Amino acid sequence: MYYNQDTIIYYKGEFVKAANARANLYDQSLHYGYGVFEGLRSYDIDGKAVLFKPEAHFERMAYSCNAVGIPYPFDNEELIQKTYEVLTLNNLKDAYVRPLVSCGPNMQLTKGKSSDLLIAAWEWGAYLGNTLLHVQTSAFQRPNPAAFVVDAKVTGHYVNSILACQVAKDNGYDEALLLDINNYVAEGPGANFFMEKEGKLFTPPCGSILPGITRKTVIEICKESGISVSEKHFTIDEVYESDGAFFCGTAAEVAGIASLDKKFFKKPWEETLGFQIQKKYKSLVTEKARVSEFA
Ligand code: PMP
């Protein structure tokens, strides 16, 4: 479902058919979860594919690689161009783009010796849907920040996300909410978290989270709209007592939450700050003025 016989990817410096591309079974990334990836959205604006904040995503990819010792011999401006070519070759407009840097064969527990870059893309609607989410607090905590570089988007970190998400789904919920090692609220398996209390927004600070590009955009939207937002630690009990909450991420966009652990938020979603921000985010990503940015 991510590709068919005609799908073209950019892999190891060439545009090739995904069905014919070959990864090496001895790759360090496959064995040890030692790779780095990104997730970008492209939006159809007046019939053109327009990426949202591609520079920020590729900068984070370079940062993540450097943070864990994966060679990054790539030029980000060129990668943005290659991404647009992948979209064009596959006739994609509303799409999700997945760049991945993987390391070649190395069975030693030492840093990457060589790296390969993949850029794949596929059609993408809303990730968590537009309906409100029922969320369960996960028994899986976010990884200890002293054990991983948690603000790097490293493939192996996502085992933690898979464990948390699957348990929540098995229990009949839509999504999980993970705490950090001190039992403060951290984030979702693939999205950041905000809560609303007495007309103000709160989001966990950096430390145990992946500091999302969407989280930063939401904070900017708040500043422009005069909405008070602070980055501070809070507990799950404080969330139970709050007025509303949402997840945000490139794929999730701004996704409202109806309940946490079967406790419903006080305000109807349409009356929350999250709802206002959701609308502003949607118009920002599809803003016509952005067509000229990369055209
Ligand atoms: N946290 C995690 C663990 C994620 O995987 C993501 C998705 N990349 C996010 C937060 C949101 O990040 P962004 O807004 O940059 O997509």
Side-chain angles (χ1 to χ4, degrees), residues 136-138 177-179 183-185 193 195 234-242 260-261 263:
Q136 184 180 38
T137 306
S138 184
L177 177 63
L178 289 89
L179 308 183
N183 280 330
Y184 289 118
V185 171
F193 182 82
M195 81 166 178
F234 49 86
T235 64
I236 209 75
D237 287 330
E238 289 177 86
V239 182
Y240 293 152
E241 291 301 310
S242 71
L260 176 64
D261 301 326
K263 295 173 184 56

Side-chain angles (χ1 to χ4, degrees), residues 57 60 142 153 158 187-192 210 212-214 248-250:
H57 283 279
R60 186 170 64 188
R142 284 280 297 161
K153 203 165 163 60
Y158 283 80
E187 63 178 336
N192 292 114
L210 183 85
I213 290 159
T214 319
C248 71
T250 297

Side-chain angles (χ1 to χ4, degrees), residues 16-33:
V16 291
K17 285 203 166 177
N20 298 339
R22 290 284 170 266
N24 191 322
L25 289 178
Y26 294 80
D27 277 351
Q28 194 179 15
S29 302
L30 188 60
H31 291 253
Y32 303 132

Side-chain angles (χ1 to χ4, degrees), residues 231-283:
E231 297 174 54
K232 72 179 260 299
H233 287 300
F234 49 86
T235 64
I236 209 75
D237 287 330
E238 289 177 86
V239 182
Y240 293 152
E241 291 301 310
S242 71
D243 300 320
F246 59 90
F247 281 124
C248 71
T250 297
E253 302 178 320
V254 175
I257 302 175
S259 71
L260 176 64
D261 301 326
K262 300 214 158 82
K263 295 173 184 56
F264 282 77
F265 288 98
K266 289 186 190 148
K267 281 192 181 174
W269 172 243
E270 288 72 18
E271 291 174 21
T272 63
L273 294 169
F275 180 69
Q276 288 178 34
I277 290 164
Q278 184 182 53
K279 280 194 293 186
K280 289 192 172 157
Y281 185 79
K282 275 189 185 158
S283 47

Side-chain angles (χ1 to χ4, degrees), residues 58-98:
F58 284 108
E59 270 164 31
R60 186 170 64 188
M61 191 157 86
Y63 164 77
S64 299
C65 284
N66 288 329
V68 297
I70 294 179
Y72 195 81
F74 311 112
D75 173 64
N76 281 350
E77 255 176 53
E78 193 186 329
L79 296 191
I80 294 172
Q81 283 313 316
K82 300 294 179 200
T83 303
Y84 273 110
E85 280 176 70
V86 169
L87 291 169
T88 306
L89 288 167
N90 293 291
N91 195 23
L92 288 167
K93 295 192 176 91
D94 271 317
Y96 183 81
V97 178
R98 169 53 53 82

